[in-house]
Amino acid sequence: MILGIIGAFLPVLPGPLTGWIGLLLLSFTSAVPKDWTFLGITLAVAIFVWIIDYFIPAMGTKRFGGSKYGVYGTMIGLIIGLLSPIPFGMFIGAFAGAFIGEVAFDKKDSDKALKASFGSLLGFLVSASIKFGVGLVYFWFFISSAWEHKSAFF
């Protein structure tokens, strides 16, 4: 569950999916009854957040006046940043990718490229906040379920 929360900020861990695995493991204990509906809904939310995590920075780029080249640059930068060993690689990748994409599209308007890059960064921060919120909710589900059935653990 802690890894799920940390995964909101570390690109190598899919935060909500990692947190969901914690809920799944808890449900396989004999202390907590299995609730397949609950697990299915929380899995669907985790998958949805995992998917939109790759689109929100691109949407931020578009919202701040970026062209399709900035959006493509954001997506490419996110992937390169994810694979790079540098700290905050996804932040830097999203920002740099949007900037490079916009500059490649319109070499004369670097202010527009910078604005689109900030939109990409803002989108990434929004995405991380959503993942963090889902991670906290899943952690609360875990703790409350374990607390409700604490007599079976001790």
Side-chain angles (χ1 to χ4, degrees), residues 102-134:
E102 287 298 326
V103 168
F105 173 68
D106 185 5
K107 293 178 180 27
K108 297 175 188 167
D109 198 359
S110 62
D111 288 340
K112 180 181 174 188
L114 194 58
K115 185 178 175 185
S117 299
F118 279 114
S120 170
L121 183 61
L122 181 63
F124 184 78
L125 292 173
V126 166
S127 178
S129 298
I130 291 170
K131 292 188 301 184
F132 182 68
V134 170

Short mmCIF file of all heavy atoms in Angstrom, two decimals, residues 102-134:
data_model
loop_
_atom_site.label_atom_id
_atom_site.label_comp_id
_atom_site.label_asym_id
_atom_site.label_seq_id
_atom_site.Cartn_x
_atom_site.Cartn_y
_atom_site.Cartn_z
N GLU A 102 7.22 21.85 -30.00
CA GLU A 102 6.70 23.15 -30.42
C GLU A 102 7.74 23.95 -31.20
O GLU A 102 7.41 24.61 -32.19
CB GLU A 102 6.22 23.96 -29.21
CG GLU A 102 4.94 23.47 -28.61
CD GLU A 102 3.76 23.53 -29.55
OE1 GLU A 102 3.66 24.46 -30.38
OE2 GLU A 102 2.90 22.65 -29.46
N VAL A 103 8.98 23.92 -30.75
CA VAL A 103 10.04 24.65 -31.45
C VAL A 103 10.27 24.05 -32.84
O VAL A 103 10.51 24.77 -33.80
CB VAL A 103 11.33 24.68 -30.61
CG1 VAL A 103 12.52 25.17 -31.42
CG2 VAL A 103 11.14 25.56 -29.39
N ALA A 104 10.18 22.73 -32.94
CA ALA A 104 10.34 22.09 -34.26
C ALA A 104 9.21 22.50 -35.20
O ALA A 104 9.42 22.63 -36.40
CB ALA A 104 10.38 20.57 -34.10
N PHE A 105 8.03 22.72 -34.64
CA PHE A 105 6.87 23.11 -35.44
C PHE A 105 6.95 24.59 -35.86
O PHE A 105 6.68 24.93 -36.99
CB PHE A 105 5.58 22.85 -34.65
CG PHE A 105 4.34 23.37 -35.31
CD1 PHE A 105 3.88 22.80 -36.49
CD2 PHE A 105 3.63 24.42 -34.76
CE1 PHE A 105 2.73 23.27 -37.09
CE2 PHE A 105 2.48 24.89 -35.36
CZ PHE A 105 2.03 24.32 -36.53
N ASP A 106 7.31 25.45 -34.90
CA ASP A 106 7.35 26.89 -35.17
C ASP A 106 8.59 27.47 -34.50
O ASP A 106 8.57 27.82 -33.33
CB ASP A 106 6.08 27.55 -34.62
CG ASP A 106 5.99 29.03 -34.97
OD1 ASP A 106 6.85 29.53 -35.72
OD2 ASP A 106 5.04 29.67 -34.48
N LYS A 107 9.68 27.55 -35.23
CA LYS A 107 10.96 28.00 -34.70
C LYS A 107 10.94 29.46 -34.22
O LYS A 107 11.74 29.86 -33.40
CB LYS A 107 12.05 27.81 -35.75
CG LYS A 107 12.36 26.38 -36.06
CD LYS A 107 13.41 26.30 -37.14
CE LYS A 107 13.81 24.93 -37.56
NZ LYS A 107 12.97 23.84 -37.47
N LYS A 108 10.01 30.26 -34.71
CA LYS A 108 9.98 31.69 -34.40
C LYS A 108 9.28 32.00 -33.08
O LYS A 108 9.51 33.05 -32.50
CB LYS A 108 9.29 32.45 -35.53
CG LYS A 108 10.01 32.35 -36.85
CD LYS A 108 9.23 33.03 -37.94
CE LYS A 108 9.88 32.75 -39.28
NZ LYS A 108 9.03 33.11 -40.39
N ASP A 109 8.41 31.14 -32.61
CA ASP A 109 7.60 31.45 -31.44
C ASP A 109 8.01 30.59 -30.24
O ASP A 109 7.31 29.66 -29.86
CB ASP A 109 6.12 31.25 -31.78
CG ASP A 109 5.21 31.95 -30.79
OD1 ASP A 109 5.72 32.58 -29.83
OD2 ASP A 109 3.99 31.89 -30.98
N SER A 110 9.14 30.93 -29.63
CA SER A 110 9.60 30.16 -28.48
C SER A 110 8.76 30.45 -27.23
O SER A 110 8.70 29.63 -26.32
CB SER A 110 11.08 30.42 -28.20
OG SER A 110 11.29 31.79 -27.90
N ASP A 111 8.10 31.62 -27.16
CA ASP A 111 7.22 31.91 -26.02
C ASP A 111 6.03 30.95 -26.00
O ASP A 111 5.64 30.46 -24.94
CB ASP A 111 6.72 33.35 -26.08
CG ASP A 111 7.80 34.36 -25.76
OD1 ASP A 111 8.80 33.97 -25.13
OD2 ASP A 111 7.63 35.54 -26.13
N LYS A 112 5.47 30.70 -27.17
CA LYS A 112 4.36 29.75 -27.26
C LYS A 112 4.84 28.35 -26.87
O LYS A 112 4.14 27.62 -26.18
CB LYS A 112 3.80 29.74 -28.68
CG LYS A 112 2.64 28.78 -28.86
CD LYS A 112 2.14 28.78 -30.29
CE LYS A 112 1.08 27.72 -30.47
NZ LYS A 112 0.70 27.55 -31.87
N ALA A 113 6.05 28.00 -27.29
CA ALA A 113 6.60 26.69 -26.94
C ALA A 113 6.81 26.58 -25.44
O ALA A 113 6.51 25.54 -24.84
CB ALA A 113 7.93 26.47 -27.68
N LEU A 114 7.27 27.64 -24.81
CA LEU A 114 7.48 27.63 -23.37
C LEU A 114 6.15 27.51 -22.63
O LEU A 114 6.03 26.76 -21.66
CB LEU A 114 8.22 28.90 -22.95
CG LEU A 114 8.81 28.91 -21.56
CD1 LEU A 114 9.78 27.76 -21.37
CD2 LEU A 114 9.49 30.23 -21.29
N LYS A 115 5.14 28.23 -23.11
CA LYS A 115 3.80 28.17 -22.50
C LYS A 115 3.23 26.75 -22.62
O LYS A 115 2.69 26.21 -21.65
CB LYS A 115 2.87 29.17 -23.18
CG LYS A 115 1.52 29.27 -22.55
CD LYS A 115 0.68 30.34 -23.25
CE LYS A 115 -0.72 30.36 -22.68
NZ LYS A 115 -1.58 31.29 -23.40
N ALA A 116 3.36 26.13 -23.77
CA ALA A 116 2.88 24.76 -23.96
C ALA A 116 3.65 23.79 -23.07
O ALA A 116 3.07 22.84 -22.53
CB ALA A 116 3.02 24.35 -25.42
N SER A 117 4.94 24.04 -22.87
CA SER A 117 5.75 23.19 -22.00
C SER A 117 5.27 23.27 -20.55
O SER A 117 5.22 22.27 -19.85
CB SER A 117 7.22 23.58 -22.09
OG SER A 117 7.69 23.44 -23.40
N PHE A 118 4.94 24.48 -20.11
CA PHE A 118 4.39 24.63 -18.76
C PHE A 118 3.04 23.93 -18.63
O PHE A 118 2.72 23.37 -17.58
CB PHE A 118 4.30 26.10 -18.36
CG PHE A 118 5.60 26.67 -17.88
CD1 PHE A 118 6.23 27.65 -18.61
CD2 PHE A 118 6.20 26.20 -16.73
CE1 PHE A 118 7.44 28.18 -18.18
CE2 PHE A 118 7.40 26.71 -16.29
CZ PHE A 118 8.03 27.70 -17.03
N GLY A 119 2.26 23.95 -19.69
CA GLY A 119 0.99 23.21 -19.68
C GLY A 119 1.23 21.72 -19.52
O GLY A 119 0.50 21.04 -18.80
N SER A 120 2.27 21.23 -20.17
CA SER A 120 2.63 19.82 -20.05
C SER A 120 3.05 19.50 -18.61
O SER A 120 2.62 18.49 -18.04
CB SER A 120 3.78 19.51 -21.01
OG SER A 120 4.30 18.24 -20.76
N LEU A 121 3.86 20.35 -18.02
CA LEU A 121 4.30 20.15 -16.65
C LEU A 121 3.11 20.20 -15.69
O LEU A 121 3.00 19.37 -14.78
CB LEU A 121 5.35 21.19 -16.28
CG LEU A 121 5.96 21.06 -14.89
CD1 LEU A 121 6.67 19.73 -14.74
CD2 LEU A 121 6.92 22.21 -14.64
N LEU A 122 2.22 21.15 -15.90
CA LEU A 122 1.02 21.26 -15.06
C LEU A 122 0.16 20.01 -15.21
O LEU A 122 -0.36 19.48 -14.21
CB LEU A 122 0.23 22.51 -15.44
CG LEU A 122 -1.03 22.77 -14.63
CD1 LEU A 122 -0.68 23.02 -13.17
CD2 LEU A 122 -1.78 23.96 -15.20
N GLY A 123 0.01 19.52 -16.43
CA GLY A 123 -0.74 18.28 -16.65
C GLY A 123 -0.12 17.11 -15.92
O GLY A 123 -0.82 16.28 -15.34
N PHE A 124 1.20 17.04 -15.92
CA PHE A 124 1.87 15.96 -15.20
C PHE A 124 1.62 16.07 -13.70
O PHE A 124 1.38 15.06 -13.03
CB PHE A 124 3.37 15.97 -15.49
CG PHE A 124 4.09 14.83 -14.86
CD1 PHE A 124 4.05 13.57 -15.43
CD2 PHE A 124 4.80 15.00 -13.69
CE1 PHE A 124 4.69 12.50 -14.84
CE2 PHE A 124 5.45 13.94 -13.11
CZ PHE A 124 5.40 12.69 -13.68
N LEU A 125 1.66 17.28 -13.16
CA LEU A 125 1.40 17.48 -11.73
C LEU A 125 -0.05 17.11 -11.38
O LEU A 125 -0.30 16.52 -10.32
CB LEU A 125 1.71 18.91 -11.32
CG LEU A 125 3.19 19.29 -11.37
CD1 LEU A 125 3.36 20.78 -11.09
CD2 LEU A 125 3.99 18.47 -10.39
N VAL A 126 -0.99 17.44 -12.25
CA VAL A 126 -2.39 17.05 -12.02
C VAL A 126 -2.52 15.53 -12.02
O VAL A 126 -3.17 14.95 -11.15
CB VAL A 126 -3.31 17.69 -13.09
CG1 VAL A 126 -4.69 17.05 -13.09
CG2 VAL A 126 -3.42 19.19 -12.88
N SER A 127 -1.85 14.90 -12.95
CA SER A 127 -1.88 13.44 -13.03
C SER A 127 -1.30 12.80 -11.77
O SER A 127 -1.87 11.85 -11.22
CB SER A 127 -1.11 12.99 -14.27
OG SER A 127 -1.07 11.61 -14.36
N ALA A 128 -0.17 13.33 -11.30
CA ALA A 128 0.44 12.80 -10.07
C ALA A 128 -0.48 13.01 -8.87
O ALA A 128 -0.58 12.14 -8.00
CB ALA A 128 1.79 13.46 -9.83
N SER A 129 -1.20 14.13 -8.85
CA SER A 129 -2.13 14.39 -7.75
C SER A 129 -3.29 13.40 -7.76
O SER A 129 -3.73 12.93 -6.70
CB SER A 129 -2.67 15.82 -7.84
OG SER A 129 -1.64 16.74 -7.72
N ILE A 130 -3.79 13.10 -8.93
CA ILE A 130 -4.87 12.11 -9.04
C ILE A 130 -4.39 10.75 -8.55
O ILE A 130 -5.07 10.08 -7.77
CB ILE A 130 -5.40 12.02 -10.49
CG1 ILE A 130 -6.14 13.31 -10.86
CG2 ILE A 130 -6.32 10.81 -10.67
CD1 ILE A 130 -6.49 13.43 -12.33
N LYS A 131 -3.21 10.34 -8.99
CA LYS A 131 -2.66 9.05 -8.56
C LYS A 131 -2.43 9.03 -7.05
O LYS A 131 -2.71 8.02 -6.39
CB LYS A 131 -1.35 8.74 -9.29
CG LYS A 131 -1.52 8.47 -10.76
CD LYS A 131 -0.26 7.99 -11.41
CE LYS A 131 0.88 8.95 -11.27
NZ LYS A 131 2.08 8.54 -11.98
N PHE A 132 -1.95 10.13 -6.50
CA PHE A 132 -1.74 10.22 -5.06
C PHE A 132 -3.06 10.10 -4.30
O PHE A 132 -3.15 9.38 -3.30
CB PHE A 132 -1.03 11.53 -4.71
CG PHE A 132 -0.71 11.70 -3.26
CD1 PHE A 132 0.24 10.89 -2.65
CD2 PHE A 132 -1.35 12.66 -2.51
CE1 PHE A 132 0.54 11.05 -1.30
CE2 PHE A 132 -1.06 12.83 -1.16
CZ PHE A 132 -0.11 12.02 -0.56
N GLY A 133 -4.08 10.79 -4.79
CA GLY A 133 -5.40 10.72 -4.16
C GLY A 133 -5.97 9.30 -4.18
O GLY A 133 -6.48 8.81 -3.17
N VAL A 134 -5.87 8.63 -5.31
CA VAL A 134 -6.35 7.25 -5.40
C VAL A 134 -5.54 6.35 -4.47
O VAL A 134 -6.09 5.50 -3.78
CB VAL A 134 -6.29 6.74 -6.86
CG1 VAL A 134 -6.55 5.25 -6.94
CG2 VAL A 134 -7.30 7.48 -7.72
#
